[in-house]
Amino acid sequence: MQMPNLLEAKKRTKIEPKTINYEINKEYKNLGTNKTYHIKTYGCQMNEHDTENIKAILEQMSFKETDIMENADLILLNTCAIRENAHNKVFGMVGRIKHLKESRPNIIVGMCGCMVQEEVIAEEIISKYKWLDIVFGTHNINELPRLLSNSLQEKKLNLEVYSIEGDIIENMPAKRDSKYKAWVNIMYGCDKFCTYCIVPYTRGKQRSRTKENIINEVKELIKDGYKEVTLLGQNVNAYGKDLDVNYDMSDLLEETAQTGIERVRFITSHPWDFTDKMIEVIAKYPNVMPYIHLPLQSGSNKILKLMGRRYTKEEYITLYNKIKEIIPNCAITTDIIVGFPGETEEDFKDTLDVVNTCKYDSAFTFIFSPREGTPAAKMEDNTPLETKEQRLYELNELINKYARQANEKYQDKVVPVLIEGPSGKNKDLFMGYTDTMKLVNVNTTKDNIGKIINVKITDVKTWSMDAVEDKSE
Ligand code: 5AD
Ligand code: SF4
């Protein structure tokens, strides 16, 4: 049993993380023979990519994937800690799984991901959910074979969650969801400590992968036929700052573009670290997509300061204008939190003001959720929930208006789309994204799946567009 600890998780040691190569021990390779697994994933792209690693590890152990949770011999929940409602969703699911386990006591049930990195959650599991089999954190996914082997041998809760981040694990296998688009981690953890955010505790100290390992992974993906990579990190603009090298995110982006991969994206950016050189690289390389997710969080300087965001409303708008000036077709999306402790009507108006200035292509909007152990959770918060909900509603109305307006500019235009597969809405259509990350349902043929084709936009909605293949060339 290894419990997470909040104080440990907060520490930033000077210890250099080691890079170690993942390898599965032979003795674990047949443990899953004739057994199936099912994973439910909550939260961000980082978690989705972790799930791709977990799936591949399980398949090395001979487990097979099933889409039907009720049939699975192994059920894993890969959890998210970012807001309280993720907690409720996960424990609702745990309740459902308990019934399954009552009728099939031999199934193995596990929890992993960010939530279990929280000390309070680990304690909750030990006191109320002792019937779970394995619990492991974000730092020890590579230990899954050993943990599972223990669980198969002895039927008792096996909880191993470390708070001090471990090494950078290279060569972990991945069973990727897509054959055309791939996530590529460039760094782990975050050192920004925005006052509301649990991520620096659950994902630990910032650790950048070496450029050689990242570029090699991209080159391998090209060989395997991938068309698009998304460089992934909590704050990609801080890439390399923890390494003793004179090489930053703009260099990495440029070198990734030079591999010749057809599309490069990156998420998530922090406005504070966003350099002019980044903008130049995006403008210079046609295969770096003109799309930036640039979280604002709040438009009020007072709230930004309380959030520890290190920029003002004016600095944010200056950066925004610079991007739009140098890359005019760049789509910009954002994240906004309403109802942060101390947010007055005036502060909220400042946020609306920035939205009216930036007219975002789209945005994720949230009501502030206090996360235990973060500084913001201790701040005095007198705003009633009803007011916060009203603000969220008002903000969403505005966001939707601008999202639709941004899409309307595409009407009758010809744009490139990477066709991914059949559309979820209409089986006769095929879905994909433009270079600017707009979802498009295209009237085309299935031989275009996996290709970037030109399409003509025939209809626009708030969150998607319709198009036909453009054969005019
Ligand atoms: N409450 C509400 N929203 C949050 N986010 C992060 N932490 C919290 C919190 N405690 C939002 C931020 C971030 C996005 C991933 O989630 O907007 O950019
Ligand atoms: Fe959280 Fe801020 Fe780090 Fe983003 S940059 S993960 S919001 S602490």
Side-chain angles (χ1 to χ4, degrees):
M1 188 83 71
Q2 170 71 44
M3 290 288 282
N5 173 296
L6 188 81
L7 286 175
E8 288 287 312
K10 208 175 189 165
K11 274 190 202 153
R12 288 300 181 260
T13 63
K14 292 256 181 302
I15 304 167
E16 289 273 315
K18 287 197 299 293
T19 296
I20 57 170
N21 263 328
Y22 168 87
E23 233 178 323
I24 184 163
N25 194 319
K26 262 211 220 110
E27 68 183 284
Y28 302 133
K29 281 200 167 169
N30 295 318
L31 284 180
T33 306
N34 298 327
K35 292 193 171 71
T36 56
Y37 73 88
H38 181 84
I39 307 182
K40 293 217 178 295
T41 309
Y42 301 82
C44 67
Q45 293 87 353
M46 196 67 75
N47 256 20
E48 276 177 34
H49 187 41
D50 284 351
T51 291
E52 292 182 337
N53 291 135
I54 294 169
K55 283 183 179 177
I57 293 175
L58 291 173
E59 300 202 359
Q60 283 184 329
M61 298 175 73
S62 306
F63 282 92
K64 294 231 158 38
E65 185 169 11
T66 170
D67 291 339
I68 305 163
M69 180 175 84
E70 284 69 17
N71 293 347
D73 300 295
L74 164 67
I75 302 173
L76 277 181
L77 304 181
N78 189 4
T79 63
C80 166
I82 203 102
R83 282 170 295 273
E84 183 67 23
N85 59 0
H87 171 279
N88 303 344
K89 254 196 244 163
V90 166
F91 280 107
M93 182 55 71
V94 169
R96 250 181 73 188
I97 297 171
K98 185 164 190 233
H99 290 298
L100 269 181
K101 181 125 170 140
E102 278 159 6
S103 58
R104 292 171 58 216
N106 281 335
I107 62 173
I108 293 188
V109 184
M111 258 169 99
C112 59
C114 282
M115 219 169 89
V116 304
Q117 291 287 150
E118 293 178 86
E119 197 175 328
V120 277
I121 299 289
E123 277 159 7
E124 189 175 350
I125 290 173
I126 286 182
S127 66
K128 292 199 211 146
Y129 302 95
K130 261 222 140 98
W131 56 269
L132 285 169
D133 299 283
I134 42 170
V135 177
F136 58 98
T138 55
H139 303 309
N140 59 336
I141 291 173
N142 56 315
E143 293 181 336
L144 180 57
R146 177 180 60 79
L147 297 174
L148 258 179
S149 164
N150 291 349
S151 283
L152 287 162
Q153 277 163 28
E154 49 172 37
K155 293 262 148 229
K156 71 172 207 293
L157 174 62
N158 191 353
L159 184 148
E160 284 196 32
V161 180
Y162 306 108
S163 291
I164 294 289
E165 62 288 341
D167 308 306
I168 295 181
I169 316 289
E170 288 294 342
N171 291 329
M172 249 201 302
K175 185 188 179 194
R176 300 193 187 262
D177 280 346
S178 162
K179 286 201 289 228
Y180 317 109
K181 300 197 308 184
W183 308 114
V184 175
N185 273 325
I186 63 167
M187 64 206 292
Y188 303 94
C190 178
D191 288 344
K192 279 282 180 289
F193 284 100
C194 301
T195 58
Y196 50 82
C197 188
I198 192 87
V199 169
Y201 309 82
T202 59
R203 293 268 170 185
K205 182 168 93 168
Q206 173 173 325
R207 287 106 64 211
S208 298
R209 289 176 73 196
T210 65
K211 64 170 181 168
E212 289 81 10
N213 284 332
I214 297 167
I215 296 297
N216 281 341
E217 184 172 346
V218 174
K219 287 182 176 163
E220 284 301 313
L221 288 164
I222 298 174
K223 271 194 218 150
D224 291 343
Y226 281 84
K227 298 284 158 67
E228 181 177 308
V229 292
T230 301
L231 306 179
L232 203 58
Q234 301 297 342
N235 170 21
V236 292
N237 300 93
Y239 172 79
K241 292 189 178 179
D242 54 309
L243 298 175
D244 193 15
V245 289
N246 188 11
Y247 188 90
D248 67 9
M249 181 59 193
S250 62
D251 299 313
L252 180 67
L253 192 59
E254 179 154 34
E255 207 172 328
T256 309
Q258 286 167 349
T259 61
I261 181 107
E262 291 190 47
R263 288 180 156 192
V264 186
R265 302 185 188 277
F266 56 93
I267 42 168
T268 288
S269 297
H270 189 302
W272 188 75
D273 301 285
F274 210 102
T275 60
D276 290 356
K277 200 163 158 225
M278 272 294 283
I279 306 177
E280 280 166 32
V281 172
I282 302 166
K284 180 171 165 196
Y285 289 89
N287 58 345
V288 178
M289 296 297 98
Y291 164 72
I292 300 172
H293 186 64
L294 198 64
L296 167 71
Q297 310 301 4
S298 169
S300 148
N301 286 339
K302 179 189 96 190
I303 298 297
L304 284 170
K305 193 151 197 217
L306 286 173
M307 287 176 162
R309 289 293 285 177
R310 311 176 194 203
Y311 54 83
T312 61
K313 165 187 179 181
E314 292 75 20
E315 284 163 346
Y316 182 95
I317 293 174
T318 303
L319 173 63
Y320 174 94
N321 287 337
K322 207 186 294 177
I323 294 171
K324 284 283 186 181
E325 196 185 307
I326 299 174
I327 320 163
N329 66 331
C330 191
I332 300 185
T333 57
T334 201
D335 289 344
I336 296 173
I337 299 174
V338 299
F340 189 83
E343 185 188 71
T344 61
E345 213 45 48
E346 205 53 34
D347 296 316
F348 176 59
K349 290 275 173 318
D350 280 343
T351 297
L352 297 181
D353 191 35
V354 179
V355 174
N356 280 317
T357 304
C358 297
K359 303 184 172 57
Y360 293 106
D361 285 83
S362 82
F364 295 108
T365 55
F366 315 99
I367 291 180
F368 167 72
S369 170
R371 308 312 294 128
E372 194 163 325
T374 61
K378 294 190 211 83
M379 293 179 191
E380 198 177 325
D381 185 4
N382 297 320
T383 316
L385 181 62
E386 211 189 340
T387 310
K388 296 186 180 192
E389 284 171 345
Q390 234 165 339
R391 287 183 191 162
L392 184 69
Y393 179 82
E394 200 180 328
L395 174 65
N396 285 343
E397 291 286 292
L398 200 61
I399 293 290
N400 293 355
K401 179 178 108 179
Y402 289 124
R404 201 190 158 89
Q405 277 182 15
N407 281 358
E408 277 165 3
K409 293 193 189 129
Y410 284 72
Q411 181 70 46
D412 300 326
K413 293 253 162 66
V414 175
V415 288
V417 169
L418 169 55
I419 302 292
E420 294 182 24
S423 155
K425 290 234 173 82
N426 179 342
K427 280 203 308 297
D428 298 327
L429 301 178
F430 294 84
M431 57 75 64
Y433 289 87
T434 63
D435 50 353
T436 51
M437 202 66 180
K438 305 276 181 193
L439 174 62
V440 188
N441 290 309
V442 187
N443 191 342
T444 181
T445 47
K446 75 170 189 291
D447 51 304
N448 278 328
I449 294 177
K451 292 187 190 148
I452 297 169
I453 60 165
N454 279 339
V455 307
K456 184 168 181 176
I457 305 295
T458 52
D459 193 17
V460 301
K461 300 162 193 162
T462 304
W463 303 119
S464 70
M465 310 192 227
D466 292 335
V468 290
E469 186 181 347
D470 179 70
K471 296 182 178 157
S472 62
E473 263 176 48

